[in-house]
Amino acid sequence: MRLEVKPVDFERFLGIASVFWRNNLPASDGDRWIVVEALHHQSRNVLRNLLFANALRRVEPARILVLTGTDEHWYGTIWADFNVEKVERLCEAFHVAEVIDVHALADRFTAAPDGEPPAFDVAGERLVPSGEGPVRWSGITPGKLDASTYASVCRLDLVPRLDPEQREDARYTGRGLRSAAFAGIYETLFRELDTVAFVTSHVDYDPWGLGVEAALRHEVPVVHVQSTGSLKAYTLFPEKVAGEPEGFRAEMTREIGRYFDDHVWANREIIRPSAELVAWRSRSNLGRPSWWRFGASAVCELRTPGERAQFRAYTMERLGLDPALPVVTVFNHAVSDALGTNRESFGDLAGWFEETVRAAPTLPAANWLVLDHPDQDKYDSTGHFASVAEAHASFPNMVFMSSKDLSKNALWSMTDLGLTVRGSVSNELPAFGIPVLQTGWSEWSSCSVSTVVTDRESYWKTLTSFIEALARGESLITAEQVERARLWLWFYRGAADVASLLVPHWDLMPEQTHFRALEINMRSVESDGDPLFSAVRRMWNRREPFLTRFDLTSAEALSEALPADPRG
């Protein structure tokens, strides 16, 4: 964990936090455990996981086991800093029973001879992996284990894919053994311990994703605490999964879609005024999503079709595009990010992008605006976007641009159809009447805000028919999709974002300020009625898929929580 807080201030915070939790936690001397991940270098992630876990202890009294540590690959590629001792000190203040350096334990697993599983202790209890070798200790299928290794290596090397030679080299083989070690550790923990929940900031890559896989196999609820907003958390309860789990993200997509239809869409008449306000705020990026667009370029000032047409004409001329043709905007992704973690029609994110761009010249009835991901440098060391752009630079109906060089006004005025796999534009664009075609699942893709295709054949067929319809002047989006998208913005930014004095907003930085805000509230504000505790209790007792600010299942409760017109 990276922690840029003055030592004297950190010590003061630890003392205040220890007293606060001593007075706000029930006795938990039994054999039940909440397993908490503290493997990310961001202290905000670690804090949120611990805060959620302690709130859950007030519903399900249990001891906490924290998993921490790092290895040279994460430290060298992505982490800014990581200090295990500071994690241990923080955990002590939050009254954690046990802290395990899971990376150090993984070193023991990889060094252990076949047939000699390395036993380890949790609070004095000896846990012994079963099986005769690393893969057998894991309880995971070889295919899933290799998929996790592959995604992890791509992320660590910042590459969109690996060629066959790279999958045979020593680095990949070594990562495969480490992935098997993580899987074996998690398998042993969730098999041997009476586990209430697995609380994690991430659900992908080998240190996190293999823990999620093991938890799902052993029917342990998985809580995914989000790195945004006040406090957001998605939870997958085992009883909600029918048959073999397809994976956390895919199962959550289904759960969110069901809940959205039952409680958000069904109450749209009550929610509509607030949803309209949130949609208005999102024009200026006053909240999430829109994370890829910030600052002055984030403001969308277009209010009428006439203003849009005027700005469109200006932008089309500036970019040299044919004003008589519709514009299809291709949103490139962070090409090494969380590969294979949800349903997708193409083999990887780069493959979708390459094939889509390659097909563009064969569909000359449209202009093509191709945008990179604004944080591509953090996910790609190969210059993938630039190489694809160079190969297609001669086609007159295509423009390749850095997304940071295009204002929201320009983007909104030009785009007639957005193409993405799972990006946030697939819910934001429809909220303003711009249709989106998705070739993969996102958390909201079961909420009917975009057109989601399930295979490559459907993608090409739908894309071709959409361009033909645009050329005829037909609309590709319905009024219901627009309203659903605006309801999703309201749900994501408001209803599923719990504002608590015990959870500083994600954007409250630097870290010194973040910890100071939490310290003040722990010391000065009574905890009775804090939304953190009530939201976690409501979610857990009702087995709902996420935290909510208030009861969304009751029209009466919604009417009391939401004004008829928040702007009037």
Side-chain angles (χ1 to χ4, degrees):
M1 180 183 71
R2 182 193 70 202
L3 188 61
E4 297 179 357
V5 177
K6 295 177 182 178
V8 64
D9 295 331
F10 185 51
E11 292 299 323
R12 185 178 65 246
F13 172 82
L14 294 177
I16 291 170
S18 180
V19 171
F20 178 87
W21 289 117
R22 184 173 68 235
N23 293 326
N24 282 280
L25 287 173
S28 53
D29 299 326
D31 295 327
R32 307 185 74 206
W33 291 90
I34 299 171
V35 179
V36 177
E37 165 268 309
L39 295 164
H40 201 277
H41 76 140
Q42 285 266 14
S43 61
R44 292 176 290 176
N45 288 112
V46 176
L47 268 178
R48 286 178 174 226
N49 287 353
L50 289 173
L51 287 162
F52 184 99
N54 272 356
L56 182 56
R57 292 167 79 180
R58 291 164 61 102
V59 186
E60 299 274 5
R63 291 184 288 178
I64 289 182
L65 166 64
V66 167
L67 306 176
T68 192
T70 191
D71 63 42
E72 60 182 0
H73 298 128
W74 287 101
Y75 198 95
T77 305
I78 301 172
W79 288 175
D81 191 14
F82 201 100
N83 189 308
V84 171
E85 182 184 359
K86 288 181 179 178
V87 175
E88 294 172 339
R89 297 289 312 284
L90 187 63
C91 288
E92 182 181 359
F94 277 69
H95 293 251
V96 168
E98 186 84 353
V99 179
I100 293 178
D101 187 332
V102 72
H103 279 271
L105 187 54
D107 291 338
R108 288 180 51 202
F109 267 69
T110 56
D114 284 355
E116 297 183 20
F120 58 97
D121 293 337
V122 174
E125 180 181 353
R126 195 72 166 168
L127 305 186
V128 182
S130 63
E132 300 177 0
V135 175
R136 293 186 181 181
W137 296 336
S138 70
I140 194 174
T141 64
K144 285 187 175 182
L145 185 61
D146 186 63
S148 178
T149 301
Y150 184 91
S152 300
V153 172
C154 286
R155 180 69 184 98
L156 288 167
D157 288 354
L158 309 184
V159 297
R161 62 171 67 94
L162 302 173
D163 58 38
E165 291 75 18
Q166 289 173 304
R167 299 190 67 168
E168 298 294 333
D169 66 20
R171 176 174 169 78
Y172 189 88
T173 302
R175 197 72 212 179
L177 291 174
R178 194 163 192 83
S179 294
F182 282 123
I185 294 166
Y186 285 119
E187 171 71 15
T188 304
L189 286 172
F190 292 126
R191 186 187 66 241
E192 298 297 325
L193 299 181
D194 181 5
T195 309
V196 173
F198 177 46
V199 181
T200 179
S201 64
H202 289 67
V203 295
D204 314 303
Y205 313 119
D206 50 13
W208 302 273
L210 292 171
V212 172
E213 285 278 350
L216 294 180
R217 282 198 307 277
H218 290 279
E219 299 187 338
V220 173
V222 175
V223 181
H224 184 197
V225 181
Q226 306 289 294
S227 305
T228 181
S230 300
L231 178 63
K232 301 174 187 288
Y234 295 149
T235 301
L236 181 60
F237 292 99
E239 64 268 25
K240 302 290 186 178
V241 179
E244 183 73 16
E246 187 174 351
F248 180 87
R249 291 194 184 275
E251 298 294 344
M252 283 304 307
T253 297
R254 295 191 184 95
E255 278 296 290
I256 290 170
R258 285 193 287 263
Y259 191 97
F260 184 88
D261 279 345
D262 290 344
H263 304 300
V264 180
W265 178 248
N267 288 307
R268 59 190 178 278
E269 298 293 338
I270 302 170
I271 299 169
R272 184 176 293 128
S274 292
E276 290 300 310
L277 174 60
V278 172
W280 176 82
R281 283 170 53 82
S282 72
R283 291 160 57 91
S284 300
N285 194 32
L286 301 176
R288 298 287 188 102
S290 299
W291 56 267
W292 54 275
R293 184 67 52 191
F294 56 90
S297 64
V299 179
C300 181
E301 301 162 304
L302 307 178
R303 296 168 297 176
T304 67
E307 290 179 348
R308 182 179 189 268
Q310 287 179 319
F311 206 90
R312 176 189 180 89
Y314 159 75
T315 308
M316 297 281 277
E317 182 179 1
R318 180 163 67 91
L319 297 182
L321 295 174
D322 187 343
L325 299 181
V327 175
V328 177
T329 302
V330 183
F331 294 90
N332 192 25
H333 290 270
V335 290
S336 65
D337 185 30
L339 299 180
T341 56
N342 210 333
R343 283 196 184 184
E344 294 174 5
S345 300
F346 288 77
D348 52 50
L349 299 170
W352 165 80
F353 180 68
E354 293 161 356
E355 291 193 39
T356 299
V357 171
R358 194 179 304 131
T362 70
L363 297 168
N367 296 298
W368 293 79
L369 175 63
V370 187
L371 302 178
D372 72 345
H373 190 281
D375 286 328
Q376 196 68 269
D377 60 325
K378 298 177 183 177
Y379 292 90
D380 180 32
S381 62
T382 68
H384 179 259
F385 181 86
S387 65
V388 173
E390 183 179 4
H392 296 82
S394 61
F395 294 103
N397 66 330
M398 300 184 71
V399 171
F400 291 82
M401 288 189 68
S402 167
S403 61
K404 292 181 179 178
D405 292 337
L406 196 67
S407 72
K408 205 176 209 180
N409 285 324
L411 180 61
W412 257 234
S413 71
M414 292 174 60
T415 301
D416 297 299
L417 173 65
L419 302 183
T420 183
V421 175
R422 62 189 186 208
S424 61
V425 291
S426 61
N427 67 66
E428 189 176 31
L429 288 175
F432 297 95
I434 303 171
V436 169
L437 177 60
Q438 275 189 260
T439 56
W441 283 15
S442 54
E443 62 201 68
W444 53 82
S445 60
S446 288
C447 298
S448 301
V449 301
S450 62
T451 300
V452 183
V453 293
T454 57
D455 54 58
R456 295 158 66 104
E457 182 180 357
S458 298
Y459 174 58
W460 298 121
K461 182 178 179 180
T462 305
L463 177 57
T464 301
S465 68
F466 274 12
I467 291 175
E468 292 172 350
L470 286 172
R472 294 191 298 266
E474 299 175 7
S475 175
L476 300 179
I477 191 168
T478 66
E480 179 176 321
Q481 284 180 301
V482 173
E483 180 157 26
R484 282 176 171 271
R486 293 189 171 200
L487 288 168
W488 170 263
L489 289 181
W490 168 84
F491 170 78
Y492 185 82
R493 296 171 181 240
D497 189 333
V498 177
S500 163
L501 290 172
L502 293 175
V503 186
H505 194 281
W506 181 261
D507 293 338
L508 185 61
M509 288 293 280
E511 291 171 321
Q512 181 88 14
T513 304
H514 198 90
F515 273 78
R516 176 62 174 156
L518 180 53
E519 171 197 321
I520 290 171
N521 290 329
M522 281 184 167
R523 185 186 62 208
S524 307
V525 182
E526 298 304 322
S527 61
D528 290 353
D530 190 275
L532 169 66
F533 301 135
S534 57
V536 170
R537 180 177 297 276
R538 180 170 54 249
M539 180 207 72
W540 197 261
N541 288 342
R542 296 187 178 190
R543 316 305 269 183
E544 293 184 338
F546 28 66
L547 296 177
T548 58
R549 286 188 182 180
F550 39 77
D551 182 5
L552 297 183
T553 65
S554 164
E556 181 180 357
L558 272 172
S559 297
E560 291 178 355
L562 302 177
D565 187 346
R567 287 174 292 179

